Amino acid sequence: GSYVSPQMFKLLVGKGHAEFSTGNQQDAYEYWSWLLDRMERAERVDGVPADMTHKLFEFAAQTRLTDQQSGKVKYSEVSDRLLSLSIPLEAATNEAEVKDYEERCAKRQKNAADTEASKEPPVRLRVPMIKCFEAMGAESVIDGYKSPVTGQLGLASQTRRLASFPKYLLCHIRRYVLAEDWTPKKLDVLLSAPDSIDLE
């Protein structure tokens, strides 16, 4: 039967893009956005009806901003095709096990002859994926917010939620964070994903 090889697919989709047309490792978030844009343009040229592929993934994200000085509330919505989630490390369910593992690793570094123990598989932090969604919807405080009502700097609170749901919700897990020295650091964390998640 007919088929498209991964290499052929990559060459086709990456054509015309300075990065995606190369053999370098690419960012999945950017690649997915580029792929959907390419598909949308091709479908418009071919006269595909309104229910185009990218519509299957589109959703509206709503932000609620509360000015703590005046009590005024402002709502804003943006359309997106990929939900970006941060990993709340404080929600890890096995912090004690990871700490014990790190202590054993430190001892092994002092005893290079302990080769048998060095074969121990790594123990990584494990975070329930539902905690990533809860962190997305949690209230955050903005300090130094200039109130449009009083004109003074003060506090504001902000919450985010999904105002609409797509047929297929794709999630992007932000594994790269800034360390204390402002260098990028990749989080080596396992996410436990259940069979179903209630986001209502």
Side-chain angles (χ1 to χ4, degrees), residues 152-166:
Q152 303 296 315
L153 296 179
L155 297 178
S157 60
Q158 182 175 275
T159 56
R160 185 169 175 243
R161 72 178 189 90
L162 297 185
S164 65
F165 293 88

Side-chain angles (χ1 to χ4, degrees), residues 96-110 114 117 120-121 123:
E97 291 88 339
V98 172
K99 184 178 180 181
D100 290 342
Y101 167 74
E102 291 174 344
E103 291 176 352
R104 292 195 298 271
C105 287
K107 291 179 181 178
R108 285 199 294 270
Q109 288 181 348
K110 296 179 181 179
D114 192 3
E120 179 185 6
V123 179

Side-chain angles (χ1 to χ4, degrees), residues 10-25:
K10 183 178 184 301
L11 289 174
L12 176 63
V13 175
K15 186 177 180 181
H17 193 283
E19 288 294 328
F20 299 151
S21 59
T22 69
N24 299 330
Q25 183 175 349

Side-chain angles (χ1 to χ4, degrees), residues 53-59 164-170:
T53 303
H54 73 275
K55 293 289 186 181
L56 299 173
F57 307 96
E58 281 190 350
F59 61 90
S164 65
F165 293 88
K167 184 172 183 178
Y168 304 107
L169 178 64
L170 294 188

